[in-house]
Amino acid sequence: MEYYYYNSINKMVTIIAILVLAIDVTMVLGQGTRVGFYSSTCPRAESIVQSTVRSHFQSDATVAPGLLRMHFHDCFVQGCDGSILIDGAGTEKTAPPNTLLRGYEVIDDAKKQIEAICPGVVSCADILALAARDSVLVTRGLTWSVPTGRRDGLVSRAADTSDLPGFTESVAAQKQKFAAKGLNTQDLVTLVGGHTIGTSACQFFSYRLYNFNSTGGPDPSIDASFLPQLRALCPENGDGSKRVALDTGSVNNFDTSYFSNLRSGRGILESDQKLWTDDSTKVFVQRFLGVRGLLGLTFGVEFGRSMVKMSNVEVKTGTNGEIRKVCSAFN
């Protein structure tokens, strides 16, 4: 009797263990991403991406913000599937919001090295997600664990980039676009905080410096003492392609000075400065700045969390999508 009971319990435990294993395998293969996805199939993948980003950054610091923006722009269109990397007429890469992005050569370089040792294993979408993290790392930001296991998408259309937030949009419009991707107001402020590194072209904000909204004067939210500096950098009817730091005084450091600049009326893009003038987003800027009376937030930590959240937007896993041989073309 006792022997039969023991055997029955043993069989039940074995069945449960098999079921749990099956569920776990399903989650890994078909339901999402996970940290260490390539630990057995291509264990050097993450270190190759990191060393490639670092090498390119040492000769051209603009690749760091470029790769960070590229991942953001990728995730907001067709999900985080590497669709922004595709060459050709009418692809996402050719759309106006993406024409000035930088760093494609870093992704191509990392992919080439990885393919040499692990052909057909690591997706371009994952390489881009890892490179975005490593771009924060090389600019003295905190690191985070990147879940991998994405597959590359099979569609890339310039027309789909309307999902991207625009530099003149209201906070309400920005929040709507973030919410459509499952991202909340804190994620919005946190991820836009990535503008702590990199630059913008004068053509995207010089309209704020002169006849703003046909008023005959500048955008009133710009700090009056900052205005002459911006006008000197971007003269009226001047070179619209000239680049200006998005975070004045800290262009290559991943820190909270971007939020300090918003508080001081020194946000470069109109959509950025609105994060301070709108109460729903201002509170998160204040929390990142440690304003007394509010529960503080650590920007570096929250940025990693929001990036992981964003990096899982509409991902393709399992048998959905493909693993490209080269990142700039479908197989």
Side-chain angles (χ1 to χ4, degrees):
M1 184 71 161
E2 286 179 1
Y3 177 77
Y4 174 73
Y5 177 79
Y6 178 81
N7 267 352
S8 298
I9 292 293
N10 240 13
K11 287 178 181 176
M12 190 179 295
V13 169
T14 302
I15 290 169
I16 290 171
I18 291 170
L19 286 173
V20 169
L21 180 61
I23 292 169
D24 185 57
V25 169
T26 301
M27 287 176 67
V28 169
L29 297 181
Q31 300 301 315
T33 58
R34 65 177 171 85
V35 173
F37 185 84
Y38 300 111
S39 58
S40 59
T41 55
C42 193
R44 289 183 54 204
E46 293 202 24
S47 62
I48 287 173
V49 174
Q50 189 167 122
S51 63
T52 304
V53 170
R54 191 173 297 279
S55 173
H56 281 265
F57 176 75
Q58 286 170 351
S59 56
D60 180 7
T62 67
V63 300
L67 290 166
L68 188 57
R69 311 274 195 275
M70 195 186 298
H71 181 48
F72 179 93
H73 285 214
D74 183 41
C75 290
F76 264 70
V77 183
Q78 297 286 345
C80 309
D81 64 352
S83 53
I84 198 169
L85 304 171
I86 297 295
D87 285 337
T91 61
E92 287 176 38
K93 188 184 284 190
T94 67
N98 297 330
T99 52
L100 296 179
L101 287 177
R102 305 174 183 208
Y104 293 105
E105 70 281 5
V106 183
I107 304 301
D108 292 339
D109 186 0
K111 176 66 170 175
K112 185 177 181 180
Q113 293 179 59
I114 290 171
E115 284 295 301
I117 58 171
C118 312
V121 173
V122 181
S123 70
C124 298
D126 276 341
I127 291 173
L128 181 51
L130 291 165
R133 185 268 311 274
D134 297 333
S135 295
V136 173
L137 191 59
V138 296
T139 50
R140 303 183 184 90
L142 298 181
T143 190
W144 63 89
S145 297
V146 177
T148 46
R150 299 165 191 78
R151 290 175 71 84
D152 297 318
L154 301 171
V155 175
S156 182
R157 293 186 294 254
D160 294 335
T161 59
S162 59
D163 287 346
L164 287 167
F167 59 90
T168 63
E169 286 185 339
S170 66
V171 167
Q174 294 179 64
K175 284 163 67 173
Q176 188 174 24
K177 288 186 174 180
F178 273 74
K181 303 300 178 183
L183 301 168
N184 59 31
T185 304
Q186 180 177 321
D187 295 318
L188 162 61
V189 177
T190 305
L191 292 170
V192 174
H195 286 169
T196 182
I197 56 173
T199 61
S200 177
C202 288
Q203 62 184 298
F204 297 122
F205 67 90
S206 58
Y207 68 91
R208 300 180 66 209
L209 311 180
Y210 302 99
N211 188 24
F212 180 67
N213 287 347
S214 302
T215 60
D219 182 340
S221 66
I222 300 175
D223 172 29
S225 65
F226 188 46
L227 188 61
Q229 183 179 334
L230 290 180
R231 283 178 167 172
L233 291 168
C234 300
E236 195 167 13
N237 302 317
D239 179 7
S241 65
K242 186 176 181 181
R243 310 293 298 187
V244 174
L246 284 165
D247 184 2
T248 304
S250 185
V251 65
N252 288 323
N253 289 322
F254 202 91
D255 54 27
T256 59
S257 66
Y258 165 80
F259 296 113
S260 298
N261 279 326
L262 295 187
R263 180 172 56 185
S264 301
R266 295 186 168 219
I268 300 300
L269 300 179
E270 182 182 356
S271 55
D272 284 11
Q273 190 57 51
K274 284 175 177 174
L275 298 181
W276 180 256
T277 57
D278 186 286
D279 288 341
S280 68
T281 48
K282 179 179 181 177
V283 65
F284 291 106
V285 176
Q286 291 174 315
R287 290 176 69 183
F288 283 133
L289 291 173
V291 171
R292 186 177 297 176
L294 293 173
L295 182 65
L297 290 169
T298 303
F299 176 50
V301 173
E302 297 305 325
F303 191 82
R305 287 176 180 163
S306 289
M307 284 290 283
V308 169
K309 195 172 172 183
M310 183 190 72
S311 75
N312 277 319
V313 169
E314 301 168 25
V315 293
K316 297 160 182 66
T317 58
T319 56
N320 188 11
E322 65 180 10
I323 305 295
R324 288 185 211 142
K325 294 171 183 170
V326 295
C327 291
S328 58
F330 301 121
N331 289 345

